[in-house]
Amino acid sequence: MTPTRRTLLAAPLALAACDRFASAEPTPPNVPPLKPISPAPFGTAIKALQIDDPDWVALARANVSQLTPEWEMKMEYILANGLDRPNFDRSDRIAAFAQAEGMALHGHTLIWYSQGKEAFASLSGAAFDRAFDGYIATVAGRYRGKVRSWDVVNEPILDDGSGMRDCHWSARYGHDGYILRAFEQARAADPEAVLFLNEYNQESVPAKGAQFLKLVERLLKVGCPLQGLGLQSHLWIDIQPGVIAAFMREAAQFGLPIHVSELDCTLRTEDRLDFRSQAERLTAQSARVAELARAFAALPRAQQFAFTVWGLRDTDSWYRQGDKDDGKDEPLPFDSFGRPNPMAAALAAGFGGQ
């Protein structure tokens, strides 16, 4: 969810060695590959360096039919050298890998409140407009025919749901205006791609979920070419039972395709007095993930766009990067050795309606 925390993949063997809990826990029995049992394309986030990891590639081939670049298709990377020198080396590599493996590609993301401020800082007026429109035309146009879909705008709503985020884009075009303009430019650049609005915590923060639905309603009312809803689903274990499914039903009211776009489920809590065992935390995680999978599987087939996890192995997760990693979190379907976690079993059960 933040650009600085999604760092590049460290050496797989070193991560596995640090994952001291992986071999101590039993592997759930008889968990099938996720790709064939998912009701829609099953996806994962990808970093370009993972293409060089044969273990990751083998795991992806068995379980994945769609890829989302985790960071290297974002503005922060593409414009690292400035507006006049866009950098597509890693996003091109991911696109070529997806094509070679017969996997769909979901573009992520064109416009995000947290990126682009430095690149656009010296621009104003018509020059700002040309750069905004030109960036979308260049990026979406480059991958026309290669991506299935785009997250056109990412995370426009405040965390507490009290309103829309102020950012350099909204300062020029207004809160809804920059979103509408981005979708219109994306539609012009790639008429065939399915265009998504992507957001997190709609399920777990009621005010944010309500704000998201109101935004979708406003955009559709003014003719925005919004075609799909991205529910990131960065879950945590203490979301109350039934809340995830209830929001999925609310989001489905628009009849638009729904993409579970960035699923992970951390075992961490902010309660220092939470003394639950690892097994108890995994049980709570399984319940939340299975509820999400069941809710997605219950959607009308036309609205089941894709189901994406934000990484395959625990050690690939942004939760497991940096010096705060204690080796205990298991936010993804597979452990560092590629063995199914309880989360994989929960997904399989949820997809099967159990």
Side-chain angles (χ1 to χ4, degrees), residues 38-332:
S38 176
F42 191 85
T44 187
I46 180 177
K47 306 178 187 78
L49 286 178
Q50 288 171 323
I51 298 170
D52 298 322
D53 178 354
D55 293 333
W56 184 92
V57 170
L59 191 62
R61 283 173 176 159
N63 290 277
V64 169
S65 52
Q66 180 167 298
L67 300 173
T68 301
E70 185 170 346
W71 175 61
E72 292 143 325
M73 202 177 265
K74 290 187 170 87
M75 190 179 285
E76 181 181 56
Y77 183 79
I78 291 175
L79 295 186
N81 299 320
L83 274 164
D84 58 341
R85 290 191 295 164
N87 186 13
F88 296 108
D89 57 342
R90 293 182 181 177
S91 52
D92 282 353
R93 190 176 184 212
I94 291 170
F97 175 78
Q99 185 174 27
E101 295 293 332
M103 299 175 181
L105 185 63
H106 176 71
H108 176 79
T109 177
L110 291 172
I111 297 296
W112 190 13
Y113 77 91
S114 75
Q115 295 185 0
K117 186 174 183 178
E118 296 83 2
F120 282 73
S122 64
L123 304 177
S124 62
F128 190 103
D129 298 344
R130 286 193 296 271
F132 183 91
D133 297 348
Y135 177 81
I136 295 174
T138 297
V139 178
R142 185 181 187 88
Y143 297 105
R144 180 173 177 172
K146 297 179 181 179
V147 301
R148 178 187 184 212
S149 47
W150 273 104
D151 287 330
V152 177
V153 173
N154 198 44
E155 302 173 0
I157 299 171
L158 289 168
D159 281 345
D160 64 1
S162 61
M164 305 289 288
R165 294 184 191 271
D166 293 327
C167 62
H168 43 296
W169 313 124
S170 66
R172 172 65 179 161
Y173 303 116
H175 289 120
D176 290 7
Y178 86 87
I179 301 173
L180 176 60
R181 188 180 186 108
F183 272 91
E184 290 174 342
Q185 294 301 317
R187 169 51 62 242
D190 189 348
E192 302 302 320
V194 184
L195 306 182
F196 281 82
L197 178 70
N198 198 44
E199 186 56 271
Y200 67 96
N201 283 2
Q202 300 104 313
E203 314 95 333
S204 49
V205 180
K208 190 166 187 178
Q211 192 73 242
F212 180 79
L213 298 176
K214 290 176 183 176
L215 173 60
V216 171
E217 186 174 20
R218 292 197 306 272
L219 291 171
L220 293 175
K221 189 172 292 185
V222 297
C224 178
L226 165 64
Q227 297 174 295
L229 307 181
L231 312 185
Q232 291 185 16
S233 300
H234 291 287
L235 306 181
W236 58 84
I237 58 177
D238 291 327
I239 298 174
Q240 291 299 303
V243 169
I244 295 168
F247 185 79
M248 186 74 76
R249 290 191 295 269
E250 286 191 83
Q253 69 181 294
F254 297 104
L256 297 173
I258 290 176
H259 183 193
V260 172
S261 58
E262 302 184 20
L263 170 64
D264 50 31
C265 188
T266 181
L267 303 180
R268 302 174 187 174
T269 69
E270 296 180 356
D271 182 1
R272 295 184 179 182
L273 299 179
D274 184 352
F275 298 116
R276 284 175 290 183
S277 68
Q278 187 82 344
E280 290 171 323
R281 291 168 187 262
L282 288 168
T283 297
Q285 180 199 65
S286 293
R288 301 289 73 75
V289 170
E291 180 182 334
L292 177 69
R294 283 195 302 270
F296 183 81
L299 291 170
R301 184 165 295 276
Q303 290 186 261
Q304 296 170 343
F305 184 80
F307 195 101
T308 295
V309 290
W310 209 235
L312 289 175
R313 303 170 301 194
D314 292 329
T315 42
D316 299 330
S317 173
W318 61 289
Y319 282 115
R320 294 290 301 272
Q321 311 302 317
D323 57 7
K324 293 183 179 181
D325 177 29
D326 61 4
K328 294 182 180 181
D329 206 359
E330 300 179 32
L332 293 173

